[in-house]
Amino acid sequence: MDKNSKTKDSIIEAAIYLFYMKGYSATSIRDIAGRAGSNSANISYHFQHKQGLLEHCFTNFFEGYLDGLEQIAEQLPRVGAKECLLQYASFCLHYYRENFLLTRLVLREISVDTSLNREVYMTYLSKEKFLLKMILEEGRKRNELRPISIPMFVTKLKAMLNEPFIHSQYFMEVWHIFPNESYFTNAYFTEIETFLQECLFQTMYRAPIELAKA
């Protein structure tokens, strides 16, 4: 790796850490340069400005995420919707853990109404919607999955996948659960697998209703 690449990587790592710890608005170019052991001129050279750095973080995160989701969706004709959904859940948990600070940063910042986020919604997250909808609709056509509301199901699934990483400090401090550890992602995947089995893959059990006694 050449010196320019090392400098760029150091700037990115510093930005992710500081954006996460202090928030985007409270982090200055000088802060980033200081932590990276670089200078403001190098940040301008590689990213132009602070907004360019944040855009790079978002792009890097979502391109990696969608690349994984696309690879899973490509297997749909061969393995079916059930297997694709299980692979998707496993991929998400491991991708989030391997990019822990970046994941927390993106999931937090994406909730704010900004022009950058609206662009993300129209590009990356619209593509996510297309791929997940395709998997779920194909599963219904093949009678692999129970009838569901796709938007409501995706809402529940993404909430389960994202929650430990959005509020990881709460889980670490209060419940002593550490989402950045492989043990957690493996154990939590089992819980999500159970949810999928009950919600989509099997006929839901309903206890018989007792008639009121006269």
Side-chain angles (χ1 to χ4, degrees), residues 57-169:
C57 291
F58 272 52
T59 299
N60 186 49
F61 177 84
F62 282 111
E63 286 187 352
Y65 168 74
L66 283 175
D67 182 60
L69 179 52
E70 283 181 323
Q71 290 182 39
I72 292 167
E74 285 172 2
Q75 301 179 59
L76 180 60
R78 181 171 55 85
V79 303
K82 292 181 182 180
E83 179 62 25
C84 283
L85 288 169
L86 291 171
Q87 286 187 27
Y88 170 66
S90 178
F91 163 73
C92 273
L93 292 176
H94 286 88
Y95 185 73
Y96 288 176
R97 178 179 61 80
E98 291 163 7
N99 301 277
F100 184 66
L101 287 186
L102 179 58
T103 296
R104 292 207 64 196
L105 166 66
V106 170
L107 293 181
R108 182 180 67 195
E109 294 294 330
I110 200 69
S111 66
V112 182
D113 184 17
T114 66
S115 58
L116 172 59
N117 287 349
R118 286 192 290 273
E119 187 176 334
V120 168
Y121 300 148
M122 293 301 294
T123 53
Y124 297 115
L125 296 183
S126 290
K127 190 169 186 179
E128 175 202 57
K129 174 187 174 181
F130 170 79
L131 293 170
L132 290 177
K133 190 176 178 185
M134 179 181 70
I135 292 170
L136 290 164
E137 288 179 342
E138 183 63 21
R140 284 296 303 127
K141 287 178 185 176
R142 297 186 181 191
N143 293 318
E144 288 184 81
L145 309 179
R146 295 175 59 245
I148 54 163
S149 163
I150 290 178
M152 292 299 102
F153 170 76
V154 172
T155 298
K156 288 186 285 187
L157 178 59
K158 285 184 66 67
M160 290 184 71
L161 291 168
N162 294 352
E163 176 66 14
F165 299 89
I166 294 174
H167 297 116
S168 59
Q169 203 63 34

Side-chain angles (χ1 to χ4, degrees), residues 8-22:
K8 184 177 180 180
D9 287 348
S10 296
I11 292 169
I12 294 167
E13 288 177 12
I16 291 171
Y17 177 83
L18 291 170
F19 288 161
Y20 163 68
M21 293 299 295
K22 298 177 64 175

